[in-house]
Amino acid sequence: MPARHLLDVDTLSTEEVDRIMSMAEVFVDVSTRVVLHGGHVALLFAEPSTRTRLSFEMSARRLGGETYVLEPSSSSMAKGETLIDTVRNLDALGFRFLVVRHHRAGAAAVAARYFGGSVVNAGDGWHAHPTQALLDLFTLRRHFGSSDLRGRKIAIVGDVMHSRVAKSNVWTLTAAGTEVFLCGPREWLRGLDNLPATLTDDLNSALRDADAVMGLRVQKERMARGVSLDAYIERYQVTAARLDRLAPGSPYLHPGPINEGVETTHEVARGPRSLVLEQARNGVPVRMAVLAGLAGAAVGAWRHRDA
Amino acid sequence: MPARHLLDVDTLSTEEVDRIMSMAEVFVDVSTRVVLHGGHVALLFAEPSTRTRLSFEMSARRLGGETYVLEPSSSSMAKGETLIDTVRNLDALGFRFLVVRHHRAGAAAVAARYFGGSVVNAGDGWHAHPTQALLDLFTLRRHFGSSDLRGRKIAIVGDVMHSRVAKSNVWTLTAAGTEVFLCGPREWLRGLDNLPATLTDDLNSALRDADAVMGLRVQKERMARGVSLDAYIERYQVTAARLDRLAPGSPYLHPGPINEGVETTHEVARGPRSLVLEQARNGVPVRMAVLAGLAGAAVGAWRHRDA
Amino acid sequence: MPARHLLDVDTLSTEEVDRIMSMAEVFVDVSTRVVLHGGHVALLFAEPSTRTRLSFEMSARRLGGETYVLEPSSSSMAKGETLIDTVRNLDALGFRFLVVRHHRAGAAAVAARYFGGSVVNAGDGWHAHPTQALLDLFTLRRHFGSSDLRGRKIAIVGDVMHSRVAKSNVWTLTAAGTEVFLCGPREWLRGLDNLPATLTDDLNSALRDADAVMGLRVQKERMARGVSLDAYIERYQVTAARLDRLAPGSPYLHPGPINEGVETTHEVARGPRSLVLEQARNGVPVRMAVLAGLAGAAVGAWRHRDA
């Protein structure tokens, strides 16, 4: 059964992930207006976004789609309309794709129940951010070579518990054969025991011989809850000195926006080992691959693992 | 004399309404880029909107127009620029269509005085919402058959006095030969005596043998003014039981967004007799018909009643 | 060396200004999709705008560009992302043009350091607004005839010190051979001694035999700082009576939005000598000329004065 939505990466098989990666390689250089040929794409963004919203919009247009941005503040959601009613109306209006970012975990899945076209999750609460994980994987594949990820150690450092990026990355990185370490203060590692990853509050063990380290945005308003900003910086900031514990030349990734001086330093964020801008750049071809895959779902372009 | 603007429906003749309905039937299935061939369409929305803004934008693009959304918060209106000055500037910039929603009754008519192209009223204060009335009529025609509306009884229930939707519907429904009942608490029926409709504060008499009932959004902030929310719900909520007073199978309409639990129940809003999503769907072809009609106005596509 | 950005007009030579003017003449009537052929244009507007944002967007689309509007409130800037990081990401995403308006003087120059494509300054703090100055010049050339500006006297009246419009106009008007008078309360003429213009707090001497007068927006919140609103109006408001001091038939210009009753009267703003709407109208061809010039910069379409 072909997939109709992309709500999370945990339902994708290794083969599906590979297919998206191959398609994304094509879309690094290729534009085509025929895939979506004028199909209407709604971008419902209930949280601020630069990279994700723009790269979805660019992707949809490069595939020939017509994009419409819907922000809650200027929509009927400001009058109290529920997400469900908004989605039902977008469906009635004839939208074929709905890209949704929402502060509530599960929002994309709810949307998918009421939308006749394809829903793409652009981040829902603390739950999942599948296209970010796919573009992170794409970035690592282009860095290491696609056949050379197996067995590598990837450290993800920060407020893991509240990070949809970390959670989605665990699945795709595991599918690609890497070993994932999730690292942060103990308070931020709760409830993650079922993930196929090693949890540790010891930065040294997470970084030791790692092949890449991915920082996560630390939201200062969460600091009050048991973790002080100063303590975090002292124990977990990925500095240039700490980067030396990784395997030689190992890159630094971060989904952005970075709080320089908190999760890492200016030196690392902008330094030669930073892949941060590569990640932004790869958002477009990867999201083109996702949209094209879903558009072709009827002809079986890529399939659910549980099919 | 051909019409240049659509400011209200009360100036449309029965023949003009029919012509818009016929054109909308065509646009249910047809897209054409040649009607507006790149003409610039400004959407000035000074109140939140999902259905109306998106369906105007989709309509304009499906006719080949280039759309530009202007929100007061990010425009010079935030610096105190008046509506008149904004409109004069949009005219100078070369816009051919101006779709305007505004909290002040008469705003669209003011805009029309300063705009060289065509102004379409997308809702102005408590005054008028002509395209909503046209799409409601279109929805009823498709439900009953276009030749079968004459003599039918339509009940409109809620805060009639503050509803631009109710007021515009009276005119188009009357033009289509239906008998309109306006129903709500006495406090919300003031100043409506000149409308060609029966006013009643008795829900039973409004619903009895009605062929359709249309709910109106009840704005909770107006409740304080003499009508309590509990009393409203008890006396006027359109429940499934109360729907039974209508002629068998009669549909429920609502312009949205619905406050479920106030003007109607979840059961009715989402039930098999609800045409609410049909209304949203019909917004696109009806607004295409309006824009196409205005674009062709120079060759006499449709004419003012008072011409 | 061809110019890659347009950050200010003070680096343009007279020949470059002339070339932009000639190109703008062409674009008054001509549209062409091939200049930008699908190139991505980002419009980053951190301050409200109607005329400038819409005319840049219309210009880019009329040249075949794809436009994307980015507002800080709904972007990662709301999460604290810096301008520099936002620009680096826009560059990574593949944008070819960045049109930027920002409340901080120098913001466009900062953006230019981190952007691989062309940056166009759409107004930065009190510093510069080069395309406004170019369209003002274009408006005057069309009014007087392009060869007939030399030796004319232009009076600019208002809060000169805080006006990026005034400062940019000094350079282009001087390049065109006019004599510029900057006039306003002494408190608002500080720090302008190095400009090639005559400073005066005497409206009479500024207006006497002037060939055109340009009003500037007076921001009421600045009034507290030493200049009272009543005193300003009494001494500096450009009334119809005061217009008589100019050479016969001399026009009134203003970048908008006008505070009618402050910098001028309704009578003058909307009167037959007002070129205010001409200025808005000319924004599109002039900005098309600027974008087209930058797009062709690689083949030497126009060059820096300091080249």
Side-chain angles (χ1 to χ4, degrees):
Chain A
M1 201 190 79
R4 212 180 84 206
H5 307 293
L6 179 67
L7 304 179
D8 200 352
V9 282
D10 61 4
T11 54
L12 295 175
S13 67
T14 305
E15 294 69 36
E16 288 167 319
V17 171
D18 281 345
R19 208 159 317 147
I20 297 171
M21 295 295 110
S22 310
M23 245 197 268
E25 288 288 352
V26 174
F27 287 131
V28 167
D29 298 314
V30 169
S31 271
T32 164
R33 299 268 162 185
V34 302
V35 173
L36 301 185
H37 46 267
H40 294 298
V41 180
L43 300 115
L44 174 55
F45 274 70
E47 285 187 331
S49 168
T50 296
R51 279 156 286 269
T52 306
R53 195 265 287 176
L54 284 176
S55 67
F56 264 117
E57 204 175 352
M58 295 171 93
S59 302
R61 293 204 212 166
R62 283 183 60 188
L63 293 170
E66 292 274 341
T67 58
Y68 298 79
V69 177
L70 194 61
E71 286 168 9
S73 64
S74 57
S75 81
S76 288
M77 297 179 100
K79 299 188 254 182
E81 187 169 71
T82 63
L83 176 65
I84 291 174
D85 275 340
T86 297
V87 169
R88 285 159 56 94
N89 276 289
L90 293 174
D91 182 63
L93 285 168
F95 282 99
R96 208 169 132 195
F97 281 89
L98 170 57
V99 179
V100 60
R101 162 164 293 191
H102 201 278
H103 41 85
R104 226 173 49 221
V110 167
R113 281 210 296 279
Y114 295 94
F115 191 72
S118 291
V119 171
V120 183
N121 185 0
D124 61 331
W126 303 342
H127 172 241
H129 194 348
T131 59
Q132 179 71 42
L134 289 165
L135 75 87
D136 289 339
L137 179 62
F138 189 70
T139 303
L140 288 168
R141 281 167 58 114
R142 285 176 75 89
H143 183 81
F144 288 113
S146 63
S147 57
D148 203 25
L149 274 180
R150 195 153 295 278
R152 291 194 182 267
K153 172 180 173 180
I154 315 288
I156 301 181
V157 179
D159 182 358
V160 182
M161 188 171 79
H162 299 114
S163 172
R164 56 196 178 206
V165 173
K167 288 169 198 164
S168 287
N169 260 297
V170 166
W171 295 105
T172 38
L173 290 173
T174 304
T178 73
E179 188 184 7
V180 181
F181 281 65
L182 299 173
C183 175
R186 195 162 306 197
E187 293 84 345
W188 290 350
L189 294 175
R190 287 195 299 255
L192 305 172
D193 303 300
N194 290 328
L195 292 179
T198 304
L199 306 184
T200 175
D201 65 352
D202 175 20
L203 185 64
N204 277 333
S205 76
L207 296 190
R208 191 176 307 118
D209 300 323
D211 295 290
V213 57
M214 182 183 299
L216 301 175
R217 182 172 173 75
V218 169
Q219 288 176 298
K220 287 165 190 169
E221 59 276 20
R222 293 218 181 89
M223 279 300 169
R225 309 188 200 168
V227 182
S228 89
L229 187 60
D230 287 347
Y232 181 82
I233 290 171
E234 193 188 321
R235 288 190 57 199
Y236 295 103
Q237 186 176 80
V238 178
T239 59
R242 283 169 173 165
L243 264 194
D244 285 343
R245 298 175 195 164
L246 277 67
S250 296
Y252 179 81
L253 293 88
H254 192 294
I258 302 176
N259 290 310
E260 286 185 13
V262 182
E263 52 259 30
T264 190
T265 61
H266 179 85
E267 187 186 2
V268 170
R270 305 274 178 88
R273 287 161 73 172
S274 169
L275 292 180
V276 170
L277 292 176
E278 279 306 307
Q279 291 170 276
R281 189 184 324 280
N282 290 332
V284 177
V286 168
R287 289 177 173 119
M288 288 177 78
V290 165
L291 292 173
L294 293 171
V299 291
W302 44 290
R303 290 154 190 289
H304 264 295
R305 172 184 289 168
D306 57 356
Chain B
M1 201 190 81
R4 211 179 87 206
H5 307 292
L6 179 66
L7 304 179
D8 199 351
V9 282
D10 60 3
T11 53
L12 295 176
S13 67
T14 305
E15 294 68 38
E16 288 167 319
V17 171
D18 281 345
R19 208 161 313 147
I20 297 172
M21 295 296 109
S22 310
M23 242 197 272
E25 288 289 353
V26 173
F27 287 132
V28 167
D29 298 313
V30 169
S31 271
T32 164
R33 300 268 162 186
V34 302
V35 173
L36 300 185
H37 45 265
H40 295 299
V41 180
L43 300 114
L44 174 56
F45 274 71
E47 285 188 330
S49 168
T50 297
R51 279 158 286 270
T52 306
R53 195 265 288 176
L54 284 175
S55 66
F56 265 117
E57 204 175 352
M58 295 170 94
S59 302
R61 292 204 212 166
R62 283 181 59 187
L63 293 170
E66 293 274 339
T67 59
Y68 297 79
V69 178
L70 193 62
E71 286 168 8
S73 65
S74 57
S75 81
S76 288
M77 296 179 99
K79 298 188 256 182
E81 187 169 68
T82 63
L83 176 65
I84 291 175
D85 275 339
T86 298
V87 169
R88 285 158 56 94
N89 276 289
L90 294 174
D91 182 63
L93 285 168
F95 282 99
R96 207 170 134 194
F97 281 89
L98 170 57
V99 179
V100 60
R101 162 164 294 191
H102 201 278
H103 40 85
R104 224 173 53 220
V110 167
R113 280 210 297 279
Y114 295 93
F115 191 72
S118 291
V119 172
V120 184
N121 185 359
D124 61 331
W126 303 342
H127 172 242
H129 195 347
T131 58
Q132 179 71 42
L134 290 166
L135 76 88
D136 290 339
L137 179 62
F138 189 71
T139 303
L140 288 168
R141 282 167 57 115
R142 287 176 73 91
H143 183 81
F144 288 113
S146 62
S147 57
D148 202 26
L149 274 181
R150 195 153 293 279
R152 291 195 182 267
K153 172 179 174 181
I154 315 289
I156 301 181
V157 179
D159 183 356
V160 182
M161 189 171 78
H162 299 113
S163 171
R164 55 195 178 208
V165 173
K167 289 169 197 164
S168 288
N169 260 296
V170 166
W171 295 105
T172 38
L173 290 173
T174 303
T178 72
E179 189 185 7
V180 180
F181 281 64
L182 299 174
C183 176
R186 195 162 307 195
E187 293 84 345
W188 290 349
L189 295 175
R190 287 195 299 256
L192 305 172
D193 303 299
N194 291 327
L195 292 179
T198 304
L199 306 183
T200 175
D201 66 351
D202 176 21
L203 185 64
N204 276 335
S205 75
L207 296 189
R208 190 175 308 119
D209 300 325
D211 295 291
V213 57
M214 181 183 298
L216 301 175
R217 182 172 173 76
V218 168
Q219 287 176 297
K220 288 166 190 168
E221 59 276 20
R222 294 221 178 88
M223 280 298 171
R225 308 188 198 168
V227 183
S228 89
L229 187 60
D230 287 348
Y232 181 83
I233 291 171
E234 192 187 321
R235 289 191 56 199
Y236 296 102
Q237 186 176 79
V238 178
T239 60
R242 284 169 173 165
L243 263 194
D244 285 342
R245 298 176 196 164
L246 276 67
S250 296
Y252 180 80
L253 293 88
H254 192 296
I258 301 176
N259 291 309
E260 287 185 12
V262 182
E263 51 259 31
T264 191
T265 61
H266 179 85
E267 188 186 1
V268 170
R270 304 276 179 86
R273 288 161 73 172
S274 169
L275 292 180
V276 170
L277 292 176
E278 278 307 306
Q279 291 170 276
R281 189 183 323 280
N282 291 333
V284 178
V286 167
R287 289 178 173 120
M288 289 176 80
V290 165
L291 293 173
L294 293 172
V299 292
W302 45 289
R303 289 156 189 288
H304 265 297
R305 173 183 289 168
D306 57 357
Chain C
M1 200 190 82
R4 212 180 86 208
H5 308 293
L6 179 67
L7 305 179
D8 199 351
V9 282
D10 61 3
T11 54
L12 295 176
S13 67
T14 305
E15 294 68 37
E16 287 167 319
V17 171
D18 281 344
R19 208 163 312 148
I20 296 171
M21 295 296 108
S22 310
M23 243 197 270
E25 287 289 351
V26 173
F27 287 132
V28 167
D29 297 313
V30 169
S31 271
T32 164
R33 300 267 164 187
V34 302
V35 173
L36 300 185
H37 47 267
H40 295 298
V41 179
L43 298 115
L44 174 55
F45 273 72
E47 285 187 330
S49 168
T50 297
R51 277 157 287 269
T52 306
R53 196 264 287 175
L54 284 175
S55 67
F56 265 116
E57 204 175 351
M58 295 170 94
S59 302
R61 293 205 212 165
R62 283 182 60 187
L63 293 169
E66 293 273 341
T67 59
Y68 297 78
V69 178
L70 194 62
E71 286 168 8
S73 65
S74 57
S75 81
S76 288
M77 296 179 99
K79 299 188 256 182
E81 188 168 68
T82 63
L83 176 65
I84 291 174
D85 276 340
T86 298
V87 169
R88 284 159 56 96
N89 276 289
L90 293 174
D91 182 62
L93 286 167
F95 282 98
R96 208 170 132 196
F97 282 89
L98 170 57
V99 179
V100 61
R101 163 165 293 191
H102 201 278
H103 40 85
R104 224 173 50 221
V110 167
R113 280 210 296 279
Y114 295 94
F115 191 71
S118 291
V119 172
V120 183
N121 185 0
D124 62 330
W126 302 342
H127 173 241
H129 193 348
T131 59
Q132 179 71 42
L134 289 165
L135 75 87
D136 290 338
L137 179 63
F138 189 69
T139 303
L140 287 169
R141 281 166 58 114
R142 287 176 75 88
H143 182 81
F144 289 111
S146 63
S147 57
D148 202 26
L149 274 180
R150 195 153 294 278
R152 292 195 182 266
K153 173 179 174 182
I154 314 288
I156 302 181
V157 179
D159 183 358
V160 182
M161 190 171 80
H162 298 113
S163 172
R164 56 196 178 206
V165 173
K167 289 170 198 162
S168 288
N169 260 296
V170 167
W171 295 106
T172 38
L173 290 173
T174 303
T178 73
E179 189 186 5
V180 180
F181 280 66
L182 299 173
C183 176
R186 196 164 305 196
E187 293 85 346
W188 290 349
L189 294 176
R190 287 195 299 256
L192 306 172
D193 303 299
N194 291 327
L195 293 179
T198 304
L199 306 183
T200 176
D201 66 352
D202 175 21
L203 186 62
N204 277 334
S205 75
L207 296 189
R208 190 175 307 120
D209 300 323
D211 295 291
V213 56
M214 181 183 297
L216 300 174
R217 182 172 173 76
V218 169
Q219 288 176 299
K220 287 167 190 167
E221 59 275 23
R222 293 219 180 91
M223 280 298 170
R225 308 189 197 164
V227 182
S228 89
L229 187 59
D230 287 346
Y232 181 82
I233 290 171
E234 193 188 319
R235 289 189 57 198
Y236 295 102
Q237 186 177 79
V238 178
T239 60
R242 283 169 173 164
L243 264 193
D244 285 343
R245 297 175 196 164
L246 277 67
S250 295
Y252 180 80
L253 293 88
H254 192 295
I258 301 176
N259 292 309
E260 288 185 12
V262 182
E263 51 260 30
T264 191
T265 61
H266 179 85
E267 189 186 359
V268 169
R270 303 275 179 86
R273 287 160 73 172
S274 169
L275 291 180
V276 170
L277 293 176
E278 278 307 304
Q279 291 170 276
R281 189 185 325 280
N282 290 332
V284 177
V286 168
R287 289 176 173 121
M288 288 177 79
V290 165
L291 293 173
L294 293 172
V299 291
W302 44 290
R303 289 156 189 288
H304 264 295
R305 173 183 289 169
D306 56 358

